[in-house]
Amino acid sequence: MSRGRRIRLVLGYDGSGFHGFARQEGLRTVQGVLEDELRRMLGVDILVEGSGRTDRGVHARAQVVHFDLPYGPPADRMVHVLRRRLPADLLPRDAGEVDEGFHARFSVVRKTYRYTLDLAPLPSLYWYRFSWHHPEPLDLAAMQEAARHLLGEHDFTSFCAAEARQRDKVRRIDRVEFRQDGSRLHIEFEGNGFLQYMVRILVGTLVKVGRGQERPDRIPLILEARDRRLAGETAPPHGLCLWNVEYPPEYGGKVIDLADDL
């Protein structure tokens, strides 16, 4: 069968009801739901490739996928068609046709993840599925000092799952930014790639610093040790969101540039 057209689709989803992005037999996943719906639409199997695999319970504002269509609706109609067919917790946001050189994963230049902490005394009825409730006070200045040590290229073995599949643990972080919105504290990490649980462990470590249980100047030592036991806890998945994905200029740069909408 002819490959046809390559479609790039930007998705948002509430990860609460998904067992992660990647298809798993017998479990509800983002890839599985999308592939099943494309099969019902077109009558043929369509392989969906994602920019990365979010874990169970992790959300996305701008996950990017691509797939090849032998036929079907034009790209500018794809969002409208899929919005009518997909469940409410899986939202197609943008679609376009790209050349065969584009790959949702391998063409990525950098990604942005956002982690949200809710620092209010009581958890929010509206944010409890999208934030880690942490009512104890945190030393924000100490957390910012610790975060500066994470910038640049490092081996992040200490800050990833012990069972992480990637052999090369070297990644580059270009930006760590703290944004306060009322009782919520958003921490954004932008870099060229992230290991399994990496952002959640970084957040757990920064929170440990904020509690006064770890010194900011120990971050370089933890990095050098390459020992997961020295870093902080793994923060809960529901506070994490894949916020944006960036591609080379010929593919449009950052895929979404909207005001905060979560």
Side-chain angles (χ1 to χ4, degrees):
M1 180 179 292
S2 170
R3 171 178 288 177
R5 299 167 296 131
R6 177 157 294 186
I7 304 297
R8 182 179 78 172
L9 179 67
V10 182
L11 296 167
Y13 47 86
D14 174 354
S16 307
F18 293 100
H19 288 256
F21 174 83
R23 177 181 280 278
Q24 300 179 60
E25 191 64 33
L27 296 176
R28 185 174 187 261
T29 69
V30 174
Q31 183 184 29
V33 169
L34 181 57
E35 287 181 346
D36 290 348
E37 193 52 57
L38 290 171
R39 185 188 307 111
R40 281 190 285 269
M41 283 174 55
L42 303 171
V44 295
D45 288 336
I46 303 294
L47 175 64
V48 170
E49 298 276 3
S51 69
R53 297 183 172 190
T54 51
D55 297 313
R56 177 180 181 178
V58 174
H59 316 290
R61 171 179 178 259
Q63 170 70 279
V64 180
V65 303
H66 83 259
F67 46 87
D68 297 324
L69 290 183
Y71 52 84
D76 60 1
R77 292 282 298 164
M78 186 64 66
V79 168
H80 176 73
V81 170
L82 286 174
R83 277 186 181 174
R84 297 175 61 185
R85 303 178 67 104
L86 290 172
D89 55 357
L90 179 54
L91 178 69
R93 303 190 63 154
D94 184 59
E97 190 168 335
V98 289
D99 61 53
E100 293 183 1
F102 175 84
H103 193 285
R105 177 184 173 192
F106 298 122
S107 299
V108 172
V109 173
R110 61 180 60 84
K111 293 181 180 179
T112 303
Y113 280 90
R114 172 182 280 199
Y115 198 96
T116 299
L117 293 158
D118 180 8
L119 307 180
L122 295 175
S124 166
L125 177 63
Y126 300 102
W127 276 86
Y128 76 96
R129 287 167 62 171
F130 298 94
S131 62
W132 177 15
H133 183 233
H134 191 282
E136 296 84 4
L138 295 173
D139 185 339
L140 182 57
M143 294 170 70
Q144 292 172 320
E145 181 184 347
R148 285 192 284 271
H149 294 293
L150 300 170
L151 298 175
E153 190 171 86
H154 305 283
D155 185 317
F156 282 96
T157 298
S158 295
F159 295 94
C160 74
E163 66 275 14
R165 296 179 300 274
Q166 303 96 328
R167 295 182 62 184
D168 181 7
K169 304 295 196 301
V170 175
R171 297 293 186 273
R172 186 188 73 249
I173 293 182
D174 300 318
R175 178 174 66 90
V176 182
E177 190 168 346
F178 295 76
R179 300 173 182 266
Q180 288 195 281
D181 174 21
S183 65
R184 292 180 295 277
L185 175 64
H186 306 293
I187 310 175
E188 291 184 8
F189 299 84
E190 185 173 274
N192 67 347
F194 295 89
L195 302 162
Q196 186 179 15
Y197 300 165
M198 177 173 161
V199 175
R200 292 165 57 193
I201 297 171
L202 289 172
V203 170
T205 305
L206 292 176
V207 166
K208 188 176 181 180
V209 170
R211 291 170 177 160
Q213 298 167 341
E214 183 63 274
R215 299 198 318 271
D217 61 5
R218 275 190 36 87
I219 299 299
L221 300 177
I222 297 173
L223 284 165
E224 292 168 11
R226 302 179 187 178
D227 186 344
R228 170 67 187 92
R229 295 171 296 180
L230 300 183
E233 66 182 296
T234 303
H238 56 271
L240 183 60
C241 183
L242 174 55
W243 200 248
N244 217 335
V245 183
E246 184 175 349
Y247 292 95
E250 59 266 30
Y251 292 126
K254 289 187 176 180
V255 299
I256 199 165
D257 187 18
L258 301 175
D260 292 353
D261 53 3
L262 281 181

